[in-house]
Amino acid sequence: MSSTANGKNGTWRNWGGNVSARPAREVTPASVDELAAAVRRAAEDGLRVKAVGAGHSFTSIAATDGVLIRPQLLTGIRDIDRENMTVTVEAGTPLKRLNVALAREGLSLTNMGDIMEQTVSGATSTGTHGTGRDSGSIAAQIKGLELVTADGSVLSCSEKENPEVFAAARVGLGALGIVTAITFAVEPVFLLTAREEPMPFDKVLSDFEELWAENEHFEFYWFPHTGSTNTKRNNRSAGPEKPVPQLKSWIEDEFLSNGVFQVANWVGRAVPATIPAIARISSKALSARTYTDIPYKVFTSPRRVRFVEMEYAVPRAAVVGALRELKAMVDRSGLRVSFPVEVRTAPADDIALSTASGRDSAYIAVHMFQGTPFQRYFTAAERIFTAHEGRPHWGKIHTRDAEYFSRVYPRFGEFTALRDRLDPDRRFQNDYLRRVLGA
């Protein structure tokens, strides 16, 4: 994956290709003890420390010029507790491997995002989420976690043990310590029936509350320069299992969503004037389909076309207005946008810096093809989102700072006070954290 450091000059790059860093040294610990020793050694050498996952963040949240910790040896399932229905995994485990391993054990997470390349700690620390009426982000499914703090000690936290750390560290931004293991709530594996179908943009917006209320998991993609969307409704099903046939799956998921889409984006990047016509074709390429399968095969899909992304959580009640403003802005701007806008929801949760903290939320994500100028589009979109007190995804592009976050997160001060206590010398600081949390 593109997040591996280039051996020749020791440069680390993220998946989107828009962030790079040159750490002083890299450490790949094989145990929690080795990781704790690496943190203590960094302190002796006066270096800052950052753990990096799969590099799927578009912000520089994992970048460091100090010690870069790679978690690829800290992987696998530590424990399955069938009585309490939890599973404890090492922090470097990719979501992809966790999903497959759980399915083999007849278990599943309740909800997940649509990409599964990330490590469990990277995904939860940045607040990665899917869509759900009643079930929240991946971090909202955490029952316990273990982290190495700045002095090299290992701290366990849950609702009962160190509850004030638990309230913040589930979406900890890498600011409170290095997560070494996570305990997730799991349930017996179940079936979901997915119904995917095109729907006019205006109809989705006028029916949004009903679509949200009637489905456990509702999301849609709007294609800029068109009045078309693709909607997805996922609901639990008694079966039988009816997966997408292999050839059809290859045509729709690999060929249309990845292969042809890649070529269309190359054409659009070379000749921006062609983008509206391509968007109209793209919005019609995927026809309606219904299938039933186990959760990770329904929730997740391969993403091989590289992009950069900005995503904001707005109060759910504000989403329809924000989308109308976004469409009006694109229509009058002369911008050429080849990637669909993705809209999802999450219920309020109780995690201090979760984007859904204390409020029912809807997410609006804007993307640009890797290598195309995104500044103008993202700046205009961000202006709309922040007017609705939007909270940006911690791992996606945004320009907000601590002053702004202290206004949109009621529990911001609780998080920064905890950071002062756990990391007084800012061992885990980097430029990004300085900006979003303050010095």
Side-chain angles (χ1 to χ4, degrees):
M1 202 151 183
S2 67
S3 61
T4 43
N6 175 334
K8 287 193 287 292
N9 59 3
T11 302
W12 171 84
R13 277 193 178 77
N14 70 337
W15 182 87
N18 64 316
V19 176
S20 60
R22 297 199 62 171
R25 65 171 179 252
E26 289 192 19
V27 182
T28 310
S31 67
V32 176
D33 289 346
E34 279 183 30
L35 197 156
V39 171
R40 286 193 292 268
R41 198 155 57 246
E44 286 160 23
D45 298 345
L47 293 170
R48 299 198 192 282
V49 185
K50 278 269 132 283
V52 62
H56 230 285
S57 288
F58 302 98
T59 56
S60 51
I61 190 164
T64 186
D65 55 6
V67 178
L68 189 72
I69 306 265
R70 293 184 168 278
Q72 62 256 42
L73 299 180
L74 298 173
T75 63
I77 292 179
R78 253 192 214 182
D79 176 56
I80 294 175
D81 179 343
R82 290 185 188 267
E83 200 180 326
N84 294 307
M85 287 306 277
T86 61
V87 59
T88 302
V89 279
E90 306 277 342
T93 310
L95 286 168
K96 189 159 52 182
R97 281 182 52 193
L98 173 64
N99 288 334
V100 172
L102 286 177
R104 207 174 281 153
E105 295 283 347
L107 301 168
S108 176
L109 292 171
T110 299
N111 199 353
M112 54 194 85
D114 66 344
I115 294 176
M116 51 175 181
E117 305 302 326
Q118 311 99 315
T119 60
V120 292
S121 56
T124 54
S125 296
T126 54
T128 296
H129 59 90
T131 190
R133 181 188 60 202
D134 315 301
S135 52
S137 68
I138 307 177
Q141 298 169 67
I142 294 178
K143 289 291 175 208
L145 47 85
E146 173 186 271
L147 73 165
V148 171
T149 55
D151 60 3
S153 56
V154 182
L155 193 67
S156 293
C157 57
S158 63
E159 278 171 8
K160 293 186 178 67
E161 208 179 353
N162 298 304
E164 73 298 342
V165 179
F166 185 66
R170 282 171 287 169
V171 178
L173 317 186
L176 305 174
I178 295 177
V179 176
T180 48
I182 300 176
T183 301
F184 290 106
V186 290
E187 55 178 303
V189 74
F190 52 94
L191 291 173
L192 285 169
T193 292
R195 182 173 154 204
E196 301 176 3
E197 63 178 351
M199 195 181 284
F201 180 77
D202 290 330
K203 183 166 172 55
V204 175
L205 293 199
S206 61
D207 296 357
F208 184 78
E209 273 305 302
E210 278 156 69
L211 288 162
W212 169 79
E214 287 167 7
N215 295 285
E216 290 171 70
H217 307 275
F218 174 68
E219 66 186 298
F220 69 92
Y221 295 85
W222 164 58
F223 295 82
H225 315 298
T226 77
S228 313
T229 76
N230 225 342
T231 62
K232 291 176 121 173
R233 294 169 238 203
N234 299 331
N235 289 288
R236 293 195 183 214
S237 157
E241 220 166 301
K242 222 183 96 192
V244 182
Q246 226 159 353
L247 178 65
K248 193 169 157 59
S249 163
W250 180 82
I251 290 171
E252 292 175 346
D253 296 327
E254 284 299 331
F255 185 62
L256 289 175
S257 301
N258 286 303
V260 174
F261 192 54
Q262 175 90 33
V263 175
N265 273 284
W266 282 332
V267 173
R269 184 165 68 186
V271 191
T274 59
I275 285 175
I278 291 170
R280 285 191 291 275
I281 297 163
S282 296
S283 70
K284 292 185 174 60
L286 294 170
S287 51
R289 62 178 185 175
T290 302
Y291 54 96
T292 301
D293 214 329
I294 60 173
Y296 83 86
K297 294 186 178 177
V298 173
F299 284 132
T300 69
S301 46
R303 287 274 181 272
R304 305 198 205 291
V305 181
R306 305 256 166 162
F307 53 83
V308 289
E309 179 178 2
M310 166 183 280
E311 180 184 68
Y312 267 77
V314 297
R316 205 184 72 239
V319 69
V320 169
L323 284 164
R324 288 196 197 285
E325 291 164 43
L326 187 67
K327 185 174 192 301
M329 179 275 287
V330 171
D331 289 346
R332 64 164 186 266
S333 66
L335 284 164
R336 294 285 176 257
V337 181
S338 64
F339 248 83
V341 172
E342 184 180 22
V343 182
R344 296 176 289 175
T345 68
D349 64 37
D350 63 348
I351 305 168
L353 292 189
S354 160
T355 43
S357 183
R359 74 182 189 196
D360 288 343
S361 301
Y363 296 92
I364 305 174
V366 297
H367 310 71
M368 273 295 219
F369 184 48
Q370 188 178 21
T372 41
F374 60 83
Q375 241 69 30
R376 223 181 105 216
Y377 176 38
F378 284 14
T379 301
E382 190 173 41
R383 203 171 291 137
I384 293 166
F385 303 148
T386 53
H388 293 281
E389 299 203 328
R391 299 168 176 170
H393 187 302
W394 297 107
K396 297 176 187 177
I397 293 167
H398 67 88
T399 65
R400 303 295 91 191
D401 60 13
E403 197 268 326
Y404 177 83
F405 291 125
S406 66
R407 292 203 308 273
V408 297
Y409 281 101
R411 296 169 65 181
F412 188 76
E414 174 192 326
F415 188 96
T416 53
L418 182 65
R419 179 186 183 220
D420 289 341
R421 196 185 97 205
L422 291 179
D423 187 14
D425 301 329
R426 300 290 186 261
R427 187 65 46 222
F428 304 116
Q429 172 95 289
N430 63 4
D431 291 343
Y432 180 77
L433 291 182
R434 189 177 295 114
R435 183 183 108 209
V436 302
L437 296 177

